[in-house]
Amino acid sequence: MNPESATPSEASVGEQLSYLLTLSRPRFWLYLAGPVVVGVAYAAASVDDLFTPTTIALFAYFLLPANVFLYGINDIYDREIDAANPKKETKEARYRGQQYVPAAVGVCAALPILFVPLVGTAAVPWLVAFLVLGAAYSAPPARFKTTPFFDSLSNGLYIAPGAAAYAAVAGGQPPLLAIAGGWLWAMGMHTFSAIPDIEPDRETGIRTTATVLGERRTYAYCGACWLASAAAFGALDVRLGALMLVYPALVAAIATASVAVDRAYWWFPAINTVVGAILTMGGLWRVLYG
């Protein structure tokens, strides 16, 4: 039985869990969990700080439950739009009104309450920011995803896991330049990911940064966000800035080459994983070798 089409009473627990796993977009898990690793690496004062109940809880939450929360809300409120989106048939799950999905989203939103005592007060604002922006992006009345430029700006939520992890380990807030650089990176990443949906969004009357700007100017917007991100990181450490230049270089190459954007879009999980791994290794080198 297909868990997407089955009613809650028909789908088995295994089928429901399988559907929720698909809904959580496993290929994008590291977009939330990866920043936790980076945040911990740069906040740690010693090896003992790397693996603690706090860091493990944060990584586990942002690896799976946070993705169920984030993408579950998206799918619930995009049900009518997604009915015409072919991507939902091939690469993602199509929400068909299964009642267990909102229930799972609610549980995943409430989970951080359990480990607030672990993370400390410095991290709490970032957990709240993630939940508020994650909900407001897709759910009315805000529904930032249909408001040009607010859709891009609100996607700074993707740095919240890393900032929360840094604050939990260090006991204080991450550098403002790191927050700015990460936020700008997330803005560019979100807007680039919206380019393949320009035509479907226009057909359904959805306005986004990408639909307003059009493909060519959206490339320029992403490049500007990523250049500014590299500049912010470079002000912290020139090596970080140099690494982040890979993003404006990539968008320039894609914009000028005969590469379909809906194909290039699927390269970025791997690219982001590599960049995140290099960032993490830089932080770990500081911990290990000072």
Side-chain angles (χ1 to χ4, degrees):
M1 180 182 295
N2 184 348
E4 292 186 28
S5 58
T7 65
S9 61
E10 294 172 332
S12 69
V13 172
E15 288 170 334
Q16 292 178 17
L17 292 175
S18 176
Y19 175 79
L20 291 173
L21 187 67
T22 304
L23 172 149
S24 71
R25 321 289 205 269
R27 65 172 58 85
F28 299 140
W29 280 0
L30 288 181
Y31 280 12
L32 293 180
V36 172
V37 176
V38 175
V40 170
Y42 283 90
S46 67
V47 174
D48 291 340
D49 290 336
L50 298 175
F51 297 98
T52 67
T54 299
T55 60
I56 293 170
L58 285 169
F59 180 80
Y61 176 71
F62 283 107
L63 184 67
L64 179 55
N67 282 291
V68 172
F69 160 75
L70 187 65
Y71 293 116
I73 291 179
N74 178 81
D75 288 359
I76 290 168
Y77 287 100
D78 277 7
R79 182 180 179 184
E80 293 183 5
I81 299 166
D82 288 342
N85 190 340
K87 185 170 67 175
K88 290 293 178 179
E89 291 289 356
T90 57
K91 295 182 181 294
E92 296 175 4
R94 177 171 281 129
Y95 175 65
R96 303 181 190 275
Q98 302 96 313
Q99 294 178 4
Y100 61 85
V101 175
V105 168
V107 169
C108 291
L111 277 178
I113 296 173
L114 299 178
F115 52 81
V116 162
L118 286 175
V119 301
T121 56
V124 170
W126 292 107
L127 296 177
V128 173
F130 170 76
L131 294 170
V132 170
L133 289 174
Y137 177 74
S138 297
R143 196 158 163 76
F144 290 136
K145 71 179 298 177
T146 61
T147 307
F149 300 103
F150 279 95
D151 58 341
S152 176
L153 184 63
S154 64
N155 265 258
L157 68 91
Y158 280 93
I159 73 157
Y166 184 101
V169 173
Q173 299 302 327
L176 286 176
L177 283 170
I179 295 172
W183 205 289
L184 287 160
W185 169 84
M187 289 171 60
M189 192 68 253
H190 164 267
T191 308
F192 183 87
S193 72
I195 296 175
D197 293 328
I198 287 176
E199 291 309 316
D201 284 345
R202 284 176 172 170
E203 289 172 6
T204 53
I206 293 178
R207 298 181 74 244
T208 67
T209 301
T211 63
V212 168
L213 294 178
E215 183 171 331
R216 304 304 296 182
R217 286 186 293 179
T218 301
Y219 282 132
Y221 175 86
C222 295
C225 287
W226 282 333
L227 277 173
S229 172
F233 279 115
L236 277 175
D237 188 312
V238 67
R239 294 167 294 184
L240 296 178
L243 175 62
M244 299 307 290
L245 284 174
V246 69
Y247 290 99
L250 276 169
V251 77
I254 293 166
T256 55
S258 57
V259 178
V261 67
D262 54 352
R263 178 186 175 194
Y265 166 67
W266 295 105
W267 299 345
F268 276 83
I271 293 166
N272 292 334
T273 299
V274 172
V275 171
I278 295 172
L279 284 172
T280 302
M281 287 188 287
L284 293 177
W285 183 273
R286 177 190 59 82
V287 174
L288 296 173
Y289 302 106

